[in-house]
Amino acid sequence: MESNGDREFCANGTCMKTAEVEAKLDQGNIQDAETALRDGLSLTSEEARALLGKLEYQRGNVEGALRVFDGIDLKAAIQRLQPSLSEKPAKKGPSHAESPSSVTQHAASMVLEAIYLKAKTLQKLGKFNEAVNECKQVVDAVEKVFSQGIPETQGDNRLQEIVSCAVELLPELWKQAGCYPEAIKAYRHALLSQWNLDNNCCARIQKAFAAFLLYSGVEASPPSFSGQVEGTYVPKNNIEEAILLLMIILSKCSLGKVKWDPSVMEHLTFALSICGETSILAKQFQELMPGVYHRIDRWNSLALCLSGAGQNKNALSLLRKSLHKHERPDDLVALLLAAKVCSEDPHLGAEGAGYAQRAVDKAQGVNEHLKGVALRMLGLCLGKQAKVASSDFERSMLQSKALQSLEEAVRLEQNNFDLIFELAIQYAEHRNLAVALRYAKQFFDKTGGSKLKGWRLLSLVLSALKRFSEAEVVTDAALDETSKWEQGPLFRLKAKLKIAELRPMDAIEIYRYLLALVQAQKKSSGPQSLSSQFGMV
Amino acid sequence: MSDDENTTTSTVTFTPNTSEKIQSALQSLTTIVNPTLSVTSSTTPLSILNECQIYAQIAALLRSPNSGAGDNNLCRWLYDTFQSNVADLQLTILRFLPIIAGVYLSRVAERKPQAGFEAVLLALYAHETTTRAGEPVTVTIPDMSHPSVYHESKTTVNKNNATDRNIAVLSPLLEPHGTVRSTRRARIVGVAFELFYSKISQMSIAPKIDFCKFCKIWAGQNGDMYKYFEDEDDEEDEEESNEVKIEKDKESEEIKRGRVPMPWELLQPVMRILGHCLLGPNNKNTKLFEAASEACRCLFARAMHDVNPNAILPMRSLLRLSKNIDEFDATEPPKTDVISL
């Protein structure tokens, strides 16, 4: 045990060095240590033990501390306090140090602190259930006695500190003891009753609770509250409650009431992304105070949110800012995202190719693994750029460059399904149907037929090769593997095949069926909308 | 296998029917695996079914070739036991979902017949569909301008504005499925994972570790380059011996082969389970945390390779959160040299 010659006890206006007492404790002599302290500072047995326990805790001697605390009858001490504590001071005004109310509060904080430290020692010893019992005593006692909250006193606010700590500790102890429903109750109790917690303490508890709600996998029954104002938002499940708490902390940060904690934003990002609500997440980023994140990081995060929410134009505007040569032009994520956004619009193809090329150049060292991804983006952008080329020569040059990039990409990313699909499309557009078929088959095999677009592509390429019966076989198989609402495009395909095979009566039958399907879908509340039916899946 | 089996703390009402079913499940299992029964005073048929050893044996069988075939005995047993409608037995079966789904998905590209696995997956899917009556699961995102139970709002609540709400769909509605159509495969497996997540606090550590290992495989990306993600002291590439490098390359190739398509309907429940493994109350099990961290890095790498913002954002957050686990304990009394009352 470390003995620090500088420690001292202070009580009743006098101080005493701890060295002598520490020596006695090291010999296992609690009784002698207690006596020495009582004599030295004129203390009661209880007060002396409380000080000894604190000393042992400070020294890191957890088992010793527990032995000392076990020797105090803390329950009885609480009992004695209760009648006197419930007396309210007769008049307001500055209270003297010797006035009855502050003396009894002083005694109360001593006892409660001792119990609190006992709970902490039990926690450190891994005895979580016992720790819970001790901590609960503190919380229950304060609640019974100070039902209106702890009165403000001049002088040190020890009691409030202890109560705040106990209220913060209790749910954590329940958690460590594996009693999750009780932990949830304790968190709510801490946040919804009047404990006079300071803002930072409250925010910490809110964050701990939000994290518990998000990751514990224990679904809390919704909180029930009486006397709600109409229009009050009451969360109905874990995610709602967690998001609410995290948003509250963020707004307190914005008002300067609590210290900024980046993990709060990370939890909220996770929660909102899981719900698919990145547009709301974008708003949260926008409402943060400037300086919390570097502006370029904020732009890039915002761009990710907006792109995820389908607002690609806005995302691109932000990325253009952050990729400017005076900002952070070499950020790989930003470059790849910008290239991806551009790759969906022929008029942005050239711009996207620029970003992609920069990404290819920067994909080195620890980022080397992204080179294939960058080459893919380059190929896509060049392919799109080719569509608005002003001359045939330019078009064919861009198309072959595009193919070259994609081929280089697939050498690095052999199992990137989207890339294989895109190669098939490019070759098909290039009228190189044999290679297109090879890639279409590869895509189909590697995705196990789970992508509708894979089936359609295979069928289309086969029909372009005039292998109509095989195309029909594929289409029929696809119909077996898809659910009703996705079958529209497949029926269209089948009908066209019939026409190509010069069997118009069969085609008419299929169109009739397709019409019925469309009517049925209009009437029902099917999950797919009409437009998504005919888009690529 | 670690010994951290969580004993279920829920009270089980043993109706005569339930005990019979558990007993018969155990008996039929003994024709498939070989439990060495160490009988103590607290041994019940249920506790035997949940033993580490049994888990390991069943897991090994599930990984053997042709384990998912339609006539496979083990699949039959898993299916029948789950259909018994005894909650405890269903939990026992649910523990094997990560391995079943993992082996199943990785064999899809090989075109192996897997009717046995599919039957089990469909049973889980059907159970969840029944529990939810097919309804979607929605989340109402709070609007801070409206007061809540946890905060007051300065703006006056306009009662006419009550429907200005953001309703997000956490899980879309469920159509019944009698077979696994290939375009519905991801959704069916995803829903099975949603069921797994709803019971995850009752799962032991072993299935969670298996889950994390499969995440690595499904991602099909090595995540090692993100070990020092956003660390301030940039660790330069460690000097690796040639043998280590060759091993890593081999592993990389294996990992890439196991890559599966991960549409949102599969990815989202996977991320929620991973969040639990990484940040949930798992008694700081280091094996689980390491497996989960690795899985996290791999899935983040996958999100980057797909340039998928909806996956990049949550995975990046998990990665950042996993690096800041040991936080300052505000309930610890400050160190002081003055001991006073």
Side-chain angles (χ1 to χ4, degrees):
Chain A
M1 306 297 138
E2 38 166 300
S3 70
N4 187 339
D6 295 333
R7 284 200 195 98
E8 54 178 12
F9 291 113
C10 286
N12 290 342
T14 45
C15 291
M16 180 181 135
K17 288 270 177 229
T18 61
E20 191 197 323
V21 173
E22 286 189 42
K24 294 205 194 320
L25 285 172
D26 288 339
Q27 291 164 353
N29 218 332
I30 301 185
Q31 200 51 54
D32 279 356
E34 183 193 321
T35 319
L37 201 46
R38 282 179 70 172
D39 295 340
L41 296 174
S42 351
L43 300 170
T44 66
S45 164
E46 225 166 55
E47 290 169 335
R49 286 225 163 202
L51 282 181
L52 284 179
K54 274 175 124 177
L55 173 66
E56 285 292 61
Y57 192 88
Q58 283 291 329
R59 295 205 302 163
N61 190 359
V62 182
E63 276 142 0
L66 189 57
R67 270 197 295 274
V68 171
F69 285 128
D70 275 340
I72 317 179
D73 190 349
L74 292 165
K75 273 205 168 67
I78 293 194
Q79 296 283 35
R80 269 181 278 125
L81 286 173
Q82 279 178 7
S84 50
L85 280 175
S86 52
E87 284 169 19
K88 301 252 164 71
K91 50 179 186 242
K92 287 193 176 175
S95 48
H96 291 169
E98 300 301 298
S99 76
S101 55
S102 79
V103 162
T104 44
Q105 261 201 35
H106 195 74
S109 47
M110 185 200 83
V111 172
L112 293 176
E113 186 174 14
I115 307 179
Y116 176 77
L117 283 179
K118 189 173 179 190
K120 286 297 287 181
T121 55
L122 287 162
Q123 182 192 35
K124 293 200 165 161
L125 291 167
K127 300 185 177 172
F128 301 119
N129 282 307
E130 294 172 49
V132 160
N133 286 333
E134 297 301 325
C135 194
K136 216 169 170 306
Q137 279 185 63
V138 178
V139 174
D140 289 345
V142 173
E143 209 170 15
K144 233 196 282 190
V145 170
F146 296 108
S147 50
Q148 306 297 323
I150 295 170
E152 303 246 335
T153 48
Q154 291 185 340
D156 87 311
N157 229 342
R158 205 58 165 282
L159 187 56
Q160 179 65 62
E161 266 174 48
I162 296 165
V163 171
S164 301
C165 282
V167 155
E168 187 172 352
L169 181 65
L170 184 57
E172 301 303 317
L173 290 174
W174 278 121
K175 217 169 62 173
Q176 288 176 308
C179 303
Y180 300 142
E182 286 81 0
I184 293 170
K185 272 201 213 111
Y187 276 122
R188 289 201 182 126
H189 196 47
L191 294 172
L192 294 167
S193 305
Q194 285 305 321
W195 300 105
N196 272 350
L197 303 174
D198 73 72
N199 281 322
N200 280 307
C201 179
C202 187
R204 279 194 307 267
I205 302 177
Q206 285 173 330
K207 185 182 92 161
F209 189 25
F212 184 79
L213 289 166
L214 279 178
Y215 310 115
S216 66
V218 179
E219 190 64 34
S221 46
S224 56
F225 306 100
S226 51
Q228 285 153 41
V229 177
E230 199 182 310
T232 307
Y233 176 86
V234 179
K236 291 181 324 293
N237 56 50
N238 280 15
I239 293 205
E240 288 182 359
E241 203 165 356
I243 293 179
L244 174 64
L245 290 165
L246 293 166
M247 283 184 170
I248 290 175
I249 302 175
L250 280 184
S251 67
K252 282 197 237 179
C253 284
S254 297
L255 294 170
K257 287 186 180 172
V258 301
K259 236 173 53 161
W260 165 250
D261 179 350
S263 66
V264 174
M265 199 60 192
E266 301 303 337
H267 290 304
L268 187 60
T269 300
F270 183 78
L272 285 172
S273 307
I274 291 292
C275 295
E277 291 286 342
T278 49
S279 52
I280 298 186
L281 183 61
K283 281 206 202 94
Q284 294 290 320
F285 269 108
Q286 280 164 337
E287 286 169 14
L288 288 174
M289 298 296 283
V292 157
Y293 288 116
H294 190 282
R295 66 170 181 281
I296 301 179
D297 292 320
R298 189 206 289 243
W299 291 334
N300 287 341
S301 296
L302 262 172
L304 282 166
C305 293
L306 293 169
S307 173
Q311 297 179 38
N312 280 323
K313 252 177 82 176
N314 295 336
L316 188 59
S317 317
L318 284 165
L319 290 168
R320 282 175 179 145
K321 283 204 306 199
S322 84
L323 287 169
H324 188 271
K325 65 179 187 236
H326 292 143
E327 302 285 4
R328 204 185 291 160
D330 296 339
D331 187 304
L332 261 178
V333 183
L335 285 168
L336 289 172
L337 186 61
K340 183 177 190 198
V341 169
C342 290
S343 73
E344 287 164 17
D345 181 346
H347 297 286
L348 296 171
E351 185 184 345
Y355 297 133
Q357 185 60 61
R358 275 155 68 181
V360 172
D361 298 333
K362 283 295 151 191
Q364 317 233 353
V366 80
N367 285 320
E368 198 180 340
H369 67 106
L370 289 170
K371 189 160 182 203
V373 185
L375 284 165
R376 174 185 160 214
M377 292 302 153
L378 181 58
L380 290 175
C381 290
L382 289 170
K384 276 295 196 300
Q385 191 187 354
K387 296 201 166 156
V388 294
S390 46
S391 72
D392 281 345
F393 171 72
E394 195 190 346
R395 181 176 311 123
S396 67
M397 187 200 63
L398 286 168
Q399 272 179 340
S400 53
K401 263 180 152 182
L403 265 174
Q404 211 181 357
S405 292
L406 290 177
E407 284 286 1
E408 213 186 320
V410 86
R411 277 196 288 279
L412 294 168
E413 302 256 309
Q414 291 117 356
N415 278 336
N416 188 323
F417 310 122
D418 293 322
L419 177 54
I420 295 170
F421 185 81
E422 282 144 11
L423 269 163
I425 298 264
Q426 286 288 331
Y427 276 110
E429 286 179 353
H430 239 188
R431 293 280 132 209
N432 188 341
L433 294 172
V435 182
L437 182 61
R438 182 161 54 89
Y439 278 118
K441 274 192 178 154
Q442 223 189 90
F443 176 79
F444 181 82
D445 285 338
K446 289 193 169 175
T447 55
S450 62
K451 300 278 184 199
L452 180 58
K453 68 184 187 184
W455 291 95
R456 288 174 62 197
L457 180 62
L458 198 51
S459 180
L460 282 168
V461 173
L462 282 167
S463 72
L465 283 165
K466 307 230 189 292
R467 287 153 70 168
F468 295 124
S469 51
E470 285 169 82
E472 217 181 305
V473 165
V474 169
T475 313
D476 283 337
L479 283 166
D480 280 337
E481 296 291 342
T482 45
S483 56
K484 200 163 81 165
W485 303 123
E486 295 175 312
Q487 289 176 336
L490 292 168
F491 278 117
R492 270 171 76 203
L493 197 50
K494 189 164 176 181
K496 287 187 178 161
L497 282 171
K498 293 291 186 191
I499 291 176
E501 288 172 322
L502 305 174
R503 290 166 43 190
M505 295 315 288
D506 290 349
I508 290 176
E509 268 312 302
I510 296 173
Y511 277 124
R512 272 208 192 110
Y513 183 83
L514 184 54
L515 192 58
L517 186 64
V518 169
Q519 312 269 41
Q521 198 192 37
K522 269 194 188 153
K523 285 198 194 135
S524 87
S525 52
Q528 307 280 342
S529 73
L530 263 165
S531 53
S532 73
Q533 269 265 4
F534 297 95
M536 296 287 265
V537 170
Chain B
M1 278 298 140
S2 69
D3 258 334
D4 314 347
E5 288 288 336
N6 274 346
T7 47
T8 45
T9 47
S10 56
T11 47
V12 182
T13 36
F14 281 108
T15 65
N17 206 11
T18 311
S19 317
E20 269 164 32
K21 286 185 176 175
I22 297 179
Q23 188 66 41
S24 92
L26 179 58
Q27 266 170 352
S28 42
L29 183 61
T30 51
T31 64
I32 306 172
V33 299
N34 237 341
T36 48
L37 301 174
S38 50
V39 180
T40 68
S41 56
S42 61
T43 310
T44 63
L46 191 61
S47 72
I48 297 175
L49 280 171
N50 288 333
E51 281 233 342
C52 285
Q53 215 204 61
I54 302 273
Y55 180 89
Q57 286 187 29
I58 296 183
L61 281 175
L62 285 170
R63 289 189 160 108
S64 56
N66 299 321
S67 52
D71 55 356
N72 180 277
N73 284 344
L74 182 56
C75 288
R76 180 93 239 171
W77 179 81
L78 289 165
Y79 178 83
D80 288 339
T81 310
F82 190 80
Q83 298 291 66
S84 68
N85 273 328
V86 175
D88 278 311
L89 286 177
Q90 290 179 324
L91 276 177
T92 303
I93 302 304
L94 198 54
R95 292 182 314 151
F96 297 105
L97 176 63
I99 303 184
I100 293 174
V103 176
Y104 173 68
L105 288 174
S106 51
R107 288 184 187 166
V108 160
E110 298 167 27
R111 308 267 196 112
K112 281 190 170 183
Q114 303 195 82
F117 282 155
E118 289 183 346
V120 180
L121 290 167
L122 284 167
L124 297 174
Y125 180 88
H127 183 266
E128 186 68 1
T129 307
T130 313
T131 314
R132 271 165 51 178
E135 291 296 316
V137 178
T138 58
V139 166
T140 308
I141 310 289
D143 177 352
M144 291 303 287
S145 61
H146 288 96
S148 78
V149 286
Y150 289 110
H151 83 293
E152 286 157 7
S153 159
K154 298 243 162 66
T155 54
T156 47
V157 177
N158 186 349
K159 289 185 187 154
N160 298 330
N161 260 347
T163 47
D164 212 10
R165 298 193 286 165
N166 281 303
I167 300 191
V169 176
L170 200 55
S171 173
L173 62 85
L174 296 173
E175 307 161 341
H177 285 306
T179 59
V180 177
R181 294 198 188 88
S182 55
T183 55
R184 296 277 114 225
R185 186 179 299 124
R187 180 66 179 141
I188 291 171
V189 177
V191 170
F193 277 133
E194 287 178 21
L195 175 58
F196 184 79
Y197 181 71
S198 69
K199 307 282 178 207
I200 202 157
S201 57
Q202 295 168 30
M203 294 285 130
S204 56
I205 297 287
K208 295 180 191 178
I209 294 184
D210 283 327
F211 176 83
C212 294
K213 292 195 175 145
F214 273 111
C215 281
K216 243 180 102 167
I217 297 178
W218 296 327
Q221 295 293 157
N222 191 321
D224 283 346
M225 69 294 267
Y226 292 117
K227 259 200 191 142
Y228 306 112
F229 182 67
E230 292 179 347
D231 272 356
E232 290 187 344
D233 35 333
D234 273 320
E235 295 275 341
E236 286 305 318
D237 296 319
E238 302 158 0
E239 286 296 315
E240 281 175 345
S241 68
N242 259 344
E243 293 99 54
V244 175
K245 223 178 170 282
I246 293 174
E247 263 309 305
K248 277 202 171 163
D249 283 343
K250 260 204 318 204
E251 206 199 311
S252 257
E253 282 312 307
E254 258 178 58
I255 288 177
K256 286 186 181 166
R257 270 202 302 269
R259 195 178 214 250
V260 304
M262 293 196 88
W264 185 250
E265 50 214 4
L266 178 60
L267 183 60
Q268 189 237 48
V270 163
M271 286 197 290
R272 291 185 80 186
I273 298 174
L274 190 57
H276 167 88
C277 293
L278 200 61
L279 301 169
N282 286 304
N283 290 326
K284 306 202 174 170
N285 185 307
T286 36
K287 256 176 101 179
L288 177 59
F289 184 76
E290 271 163 27
S293 303
E294 241 188 298
C296 205
R297 291 193 288 268
C298 291
L299 279 173
F300 180 66
R302 171 68 183 266
M304 292 290 276
H305 275 245
D306 289 342
V307 196
N308 180 359
N310 284 321
I312 292 178
L313 283 165
M315 289 315 301
R316 187 178 71 171
S317 291
L318 280 186
L319 205 54
R320 284 176 176 166
L321 287 167
S322 71
K323 295 193 150 253
N324 290 314
I325 286 289
D326 287 320
E327 287 191 8
F328 155 71
D329 180 2
T331 60
E332 183 69 19
K335 284 231 164 292
T336 172
D337 283 338
V338 178
I339 321 283
S340 63
L341 286 177

